[in-house]
Amino acid sequence: MRKSNKVIITCAVTGAIHTPSMSPHLPITGPEIAEAAIGAAEAGAAIVHLHARKLEDGSPSQDPELFKAFLPQIKAASDVVINITTGGAPTMLVTERLVPVHTFKPEVASLNMGSMNFGLYGMLGRFKDFKYDWERPYLANSDDRVFKNTFKDIAHILESCASNGTRFEIECYDIGHLYTAAHFIDRGLIEPPFLIQSVFGLLGGIGPHPEDVLHMKRTADRLFGDDYVWSVLGAGRNQMPIASQSLAMGGNVRVGLEDSLWDGPGRLAKSNADQVKRARSLVEGLSLEVATPQQARQMLGLKG
Ligand code: KMH
Ligand code: ZN
């Protein structure tokens, strides 16, 4: 059951998977990412999960100079919790993926709990050309690509961030990833409270069926007991249905254009804030309250 009536909304504002050709509303430049993150925070997001993109074609990049074009602006305008990706893009090596987290030492960083096939919507080399389609949410145009997160990679991320006070959004795309998280907890590399971010509906991971969500929650309950805060994200058109299930089951939600470009069937979201507002209306419709950044810090034991 829910320990608090406060719900943490995370907004993942741009990511690495969607391409500029899929939506004119996807933030690309530093000012666009800053504006999107600040707008999401004003709409109710307590955490913003951030990637950077190259200016020339919008493809993903972990160059810290690109992060410098939005992190100070966000911090100046808002006390929202900053969460920087360590996933980068599936094409990148883990050393490259870690550079911005080592540089900026954020309160939160993502941590992907296993290697997997990853049904991408975009593909390097033709980054500008992909279209987004409500009817065909899974475009497996990355047939030979693996999102590599070996046990060694995961240990390296945890050990190399240990002295920074960064805590982790533990991204679990399937049930086995919960067991991998439990393994690293047993090794003493992750301390409670654990933020478990369950990802549903990517090709290569667990599906978006209510029984999938239930199985994920039950397994996390069994493995982590009272020591974890559960959040979910549903990819593409699964975003709001999965958010609703999580809220009804005591969980928190992640939305944002990284995970879905939609605002309804065939209708592109005009901003990240629009999705946060939609999530907020689900939260308030259930007589729950949206957590402030400070409340999220307390719930997750962040350094502040
Ligand atoms: N796009 C999400 C499903 C990361 O940044 O580390 C995965 C993600 C990975 O957020
Ligand atoms: Zn991400």
Side-chain angles (χ1 to χ4, degrees), residues 12 15-17 49 51 85-88 110-112 118 147 169 171 173 199 202 233 254 258-259:
I17 303 301
H49 168 91
H51 292 240
T85 180
T86 67
S110 60
L111 178 65
N112 296 277
F118 200 102
F147 185 27
E169 177 193 22
E171 303 216 27
Y173 302 74
V199 181
L202 279 173
L233 77 86
R254 171 170 139 172
E258 169 166 350
D259 303 330

Side-chain angles (χ1 to χ4, degrees), residues 4 29 36 38 44 94 110 117 170 172 206 216 229 256 259 268 294:
S4 139
T29 66
I38 294 163
V94 75
S110 60
N117 298 330
I170 299 170
C172 296
I206 198 167
M216 186 72 88
V229 173
D259 303 330
L268 290 174
Q294 272 314 108

Side-chain angles (χ1 to χ4, degrees), residues 176-230:
H177 296 173
L178 296 176
Y179 285 89
T180 301
H183 165 78
F184 282 99
I185 291 162
D186 286 347
R187 281 170 61 174
L189 290 175
I190 318 176
E191 298 285 330
F194 318 117
L195 171 57
I196 302 289
Q197 185 71 260
S198 297
V199 181
F200 297 93
L202 279 173
L203 188 61
I206 198 167
H209 193 279
E211 287 179 11
D212 295 321
V213 182
L214 189 59
H215 187 38
M216 186 72 88
K217 173 74 162 58
R218 280 184 177 152
T219 308
D221 281 348
R222 179 161 45 77
L223 293 174
F224 311 124
D226 285 338
D227 285 342
Y228 85 110
V229 173
W230 188 49

Side-chain angles (χ1 to χ4, degrees), residues 9-296:
I9 300 178
T10 296
C11 184
V13 304
T14 188
I17 303 301
H18 294 140
T19 66
S21 60
M22 294 172 179
S23 170
H25 310 297
L26 190 66
I28 306 292
T29 66
E32 286 169 359
I33 293 173
E35 186 188 348
I38 294 163
E42 285 169 356
I47 303 177
V48 286
H49 168 91
L50 298 165
H51 292 240
R53 290 176 179 268
K54 291 181 193 160
L55 301 182
E56 52 275 24
D57 63 357
S59 62
S61 170
Q62 295 293 86
D63 180 351
E65 290 304 314
L66 293 172
F67 283 81
K68 276 187 197 156
F70 53 79
L71 288 176
Q73 287 81 346
I74 299 170
K75 286 184 184 169
S78 166
D79 73 336
V80 68
V81 175
I82 302 287
N83 168 348
I84 294 182
T85 180
T86 67
T91 47
M92 297 173 183
L93 296 173
V94 75
T95 43
E96 177 185 1
R97 286 160 40 185
L98 268 169
V99 173
V101 168
H102 288 163
T103 307
F104 300 107
K105 304 176 180 38
E107 286 180 83
V108 180
S110 60
L111 178 65
N112 296 277
M113 292 315 287
S115 302
M116 60 186 290
N117 298 330
F118 200 102
L120 298 185
Y121 299 112
M123 185 168 72
L124 228 68
R126 293 183 54 199
F127 205 76
K128 287 183 176 155
D129 303 331
F130 282 97
K131 296 284 176 285
Y132 202 53
D133 187 343
W134 175 269
E135 299 303 331
R136 291 183 301 136
Y138 309 122
L139 299 182
N141 50 20
S142 53
D143 283 349
D144 204 22
R145 182 165 300 144
V146 171
F147 185 27
K148 177 177 161 291
N149 296 286
T150 61
F151 297 132
K152 189 175 167 190
D153 292 335
I154 296 168
H156 175 61
I157 293 172
L158 287 166
E159 283 163 353
S160 70
C161 294
S163 61
N164 297 342
T166 296
R167 295 180 61 78
F168 292 93
E169 177 193 22
I170 299 170
E171 303 216 27
C172 296
Y173 302 74
D174 218 330
I175 298 296
H177 296 173
L178 296 176
Y179 285 89
T180 301
H183 165 78
F184 282 99
I185 291 162
D186 286 347
R187 281 170 61 174
L189 290 175
I190 318 176
E191 298 285 330
F194 318 117
L195 171 57
I196 302 289
Q197 185 71 260
S198 297
V199 181
F200 297 93
L202 279 173
L203 188 61
I206 198 167
H209 193 279
E211 287 179 11
D212 295 321
V213 182
L214 189 59
H215 187 38
M216 186 72 88
K217 173 74 162 58
R218 280 184 177 152
T219 308
D221 281 348
R222 179 161 45 77
L223 293 174
F224 311 124
D226 285 338
D227 285 342
Y228 85 110
V229 173
W230 188 49
S231 182
V232 303
L233 77 86
R237 61 191 288 177
N238 303 301
Q239 185 179 62
M240 292 300 159
I242 292 284
S244 311
Q245 288 177 62
S246 170
L247 292 172
M249 293 165 68
N252 302 272
V253 299
R254 171 170 139 172
V255 295
L257 270 57
E258 169 166 350
D259 303 330
S260 169
L261 295 173
W262 299 119
D263 192 31
R267 202 171 57 243
L268 290 174
K270 292 211 168 55
S271 68
N272 278 273
D274 282 355
Q275 289 185 350
V276 174
K277 284 178 198 159
R278 196 174 280 281
R280 179 176 202 126
S281 70
L282 294 176
V283 169
E284 292 173 348
L286 292 170
S287 302
L288 300 167
E289 285 175 29
V290 170
T292 64
Q294 272 314 108
Q295 288 162 341

